[in-house]
Amino acid sequence: MAPSEPLSAWIAILIGLFVLAAGAGELRQAGGWERMLDEIEGSRALQYIAAAMCFVIGSLIYLANPLSGDWLNFLLGIIGGLQMVEGLVLLAMPDRFLPFAWRFLEKGGRALPGAAIAIGLLFFLLGAVRL
């Protein structure tokens, strides 16, 4: 077992739980994601905070999961890297990023929370079988 394997498993479990809870919350109270995006769009301070959180959390995931060796490390490293890019783009170009986020949310419709739940369960299980 590589030294980063237990850490990668826990990161997958925690990502899974977060995404699962986000999807369940949106199913329980539809429209929450739109309200959140609306509030972020209207506040430069919230854009900055969201961008900083994306960048920091993505950086930690990326640094903990080298892009070599195990496929779970590789997948998590890619996710962390993309999250870092998301934070930087939101910070530098919110006028370009937020319309893209709106289109993604509108095209996903009611299937998006269900997909989030499925992805959350998948990540949870991927991590749980590794421990």
Side-chain angles (χ1 to χ4, degrees), residues 19-102:
V19 175
L20 177 66
E26 180 62 17
L27 276 181
R28 286 193 67 247
Q29 294 180 322
W33 290 351
E34 283 114 359
R35 285 191 304 277
M36 178 181 59
L37 198 52
D38 217 13
E39 290 172 7
I40 289 173
E41 193 172 44
S43 171
R44 188 66 178 141
L46 283 178
Q47 292 168 16
Y48 188 89
I49 291 167
M53 288 181 66
C54 281
F55 185 76
V56 169
I57 293 169
S59 297
L60 293 172
I61 292 171
Y62 180 81
L63 291 171
N65 295 282
L67 294 177
S68 61
D70 187 358
W71 64 269
L72 184 58
N73 281 353
F74 186 81
L75 177 63
L76 290 172
I78 294 292
I79 289 170
L82 290 173
Q83 193 171 356
M84 287 169 44
V85 170
E86 177 184 2
L88 292 173
V89 171
L90 177 57
L91 187 61
M93 300 183 289
D95 57 321
R96 301 283 178 127
F97 179 78
L98 292 170
F100 169 78
W102 273 112

